[in-house]
Amino acid sequence: MKKDLLGLKDLSADNINSILETAETMKLILSQPNKKTPHLQGKTVVNLFYENSTRTRLSFELAAKYMSANAANITASGSSVQKGETLIDTAETINAMGTDILVVRHSMSGAPHLIAPLVSASVINAGDGMDEHPTQALLDMLTIKEKKGGFKGLKVAIVGDINHSRVVRSNIYGLTKLGAEVSVGGPSTLIPPGMEKMGVMVFKSIPEAIVDADGVMGLRIQLERQKSGLFPSLREYYRFFGIDEKRLKFAKPDALVMHPGPVNRGVEFSSSVIDGDQSVINEQVTNGVAVRMAVMYILSRGGFAD
Ligand code: CP
């Protein structure tokens, strides 16, 4: 059994289906006036975030509280990390306080993988550098499953800052394992060489990437991870790669408009697309709570089958 969730690369299609089915049950609980369940009663969940977050951190905290766990948050800026404590020492300290589930976000790819074998707590990767963001991809997949009924025969286009995105990597692993076709698109400076080896089609223009797509997922331009200008300006990025209502018409008329957030309005998508009828961005956020409840429930019951 796997005690941790470090990425979708490591999970089987059966593991992923089991998370999605459990999340569907958790979503029923979330629709009740009283959302409290005893699933994690007596357990302790700690969010250890070295990078900013709104959605992921809050949804893990709410998910833990809805399931009656003790939940606590630590950010790098308010902790002994500022005094020079190492990641491993910090993780071992939190583990020594009786933590059952440790949720980690870090700017370094592989940080949760480093901690996981050193602690008895289950470690959940809440986004590591440019590597993976597995619970984000799972909530994206839950949204697609709810709206489209499954994955086989679907085409999902993921466009924008492919190079710096952990979301794209987790989605590619998850979606292709469940039978969807994935295309990626964006400026050549934001697409890493050899992306095709991940089993996806790569396009340097948005119309080619999204044509006949059932889902169009925009990725945030991550200026904070770019060391030098990889395109002339955000205005020019939007002109050539942003998606407005006219450009969206290359996808299927009922294509889902998705984004992990936070969105740069007028960069990845126009406001009319973000707020339009095809947008499921807020439903993705709701599904994030259900998915995180499901993952923590499964890990508290022994983890994922090998
Ligand atoms: N999608 C996502 O990870 O958002 P946050 O950075 O707000 O958690």
Side-chain angles (χ1 to χ4, degrees):
M1 299 288 275
K2 292 184 183 71
K3 77 168 177 69
D4 311 294
L5 174 61
L6 301 177
L8 296 195
K9 189 179 182 181
D10 310 324
L11 292 193
S12 65
D14 283 349
N15 292 151
I16 295 171
N17 277 322
S18 148
I19 298 169
L20 297 181
E21 281 160 23
T22 308
E24 283 163 350
T25 308
M26 294 302 179
K27 204 166 169 192
L28 295 177
I29 295 167
L30 289 176
S31 66
Q32 303 298 314
N34 179 0
K35 301 177 180 67
K36 206 82 169 171
T37 78
H39 288 119
L40 291 184
Q41 204 154 42
K43 303 285 183 192
T44 298
V45 177
V46 175
N47 284 326
L48 173 61
F49 275 57
Y50 285 76
E51 284 188 326
N52 294 340
S53 168
T54 298
R55 293 151 200 77
T56 313
R57 198 178 74 185
L58 183 58
S59 60
F60 267 113
E61 184 177 353
L62 289 176
K65 287 179 171 166
Y66 290 152
M67 293 196 290
S68 306
N70 306 306
N73 293 302
I74 305 182
T75 57
S77 60
S79 72
S80 290
V81 169
Q82 293 300 318
K83 301 175 196 163
E85 188 167 57
T86 67
L87 171 65
I88 290 173
D89 285 345
T90 301
E92 286 179 340
T93 300
I94 297 168
N95 192 59
M97 293 184 199
T99 300
D100 298 288
I101 298 176
L102 180 55
V103 182
V104 179
R105 171 171 286 193
H106 203 285
S107 58
M108 188 184 82
S109 300
H113 306 67
L114 189 68
I115 296 169
L118 305 176
V119 296
S120 56
S122 289
V123 174
I124 301 177
N125 181 358
D128 64 320
M130 290 155 37
D131 177 35
E132 282 219 46
H133 192 349
T135 56
Q136 176 67 47
L138 289 164
L139 73 87
D140 296 335
M141 294 176 74
L142 178 62
T143 309
I144 293 170
K145 186 182 176 197
E146 280 178 347
K147 299 289 177 189
K148 300 291 178 187
F151 301 95
K152 288 209 165 64
L154 289 190
K155 175 180 169 182
V156 180
I158 308 179
V159 296
D161 189 348
I162 305 295
N163 193 30
H164 299 98
S165 176
R166 48 202 178 203
V167 175
V168 73
R169 277 168 252 286
S170 288
N171 263 293
I172 290 171
Y173 292 129
L175 287 166
T176 55
K177 279 178 190 184
L178 294 202
E181 186 182 293
V182 178
S183 63
V184 300
S188 52
T189 49
L190 292 181
I191 299 182
M195 197 77 198
E196 295 85 354
K197 290 190 194 128
M198 292 189 78
V200 300
M201 291 171 296
V202 178
F203 299 98
K204 306 290 163 60
S205 88
I206 296 303
E208 283 179 302
I210 72 172
V211 71
D212 292 333
D214 300 280
V216 177
M217 189 185 299
L219 297 177
R220 185 173 66 86
I221 300 300
Q222 299 192 35
L223 294 173
E224 75 275 20
R225 293 192 212 279
Q226 296 182 17
K227 290 191 178 66
S228 58
L230 296 173
F231 48 86
S233 69
L234 288 177
R235 205 168 61 171
E236 276 184 285
Y237 176 87
Y238 179 66
R239 186 166 158 223
F240 292 103
F241 298 98
I243 300 181
D244 56 10
E245 285 166 289
K246 191 170 161 218
R247 213 167 257 165
L248 184 61
K249 288 193 194 308
F250 283 96
K252 285 187 179 160
D254 61 350
L256 306 175
V257 168
M258 308 178 73
H259 197 296
V263 184
N264 296 309
R265 283 180 180 261
V267 178
E268 295 98 45
F269 289 135
S270 66
S271 277
S272 59
V273 166
I274 293 167
D275 301 324
D277 292 342
Q278 289 170 247
S279 173
V280 292
I281 294 171
N282 285 335
E283 286 163 83
Q284 289 174 262
V285 174
T286 305
N287 286 341
V289 182
V291 156
R292 284 155 185 144
M293 287 171 79
V295 166
M296 290 194 284
Y297 174 71
I298 293 169
L299 291 178
S300 74
R301 294 290 184 281
F304 298 104
D306 288 320

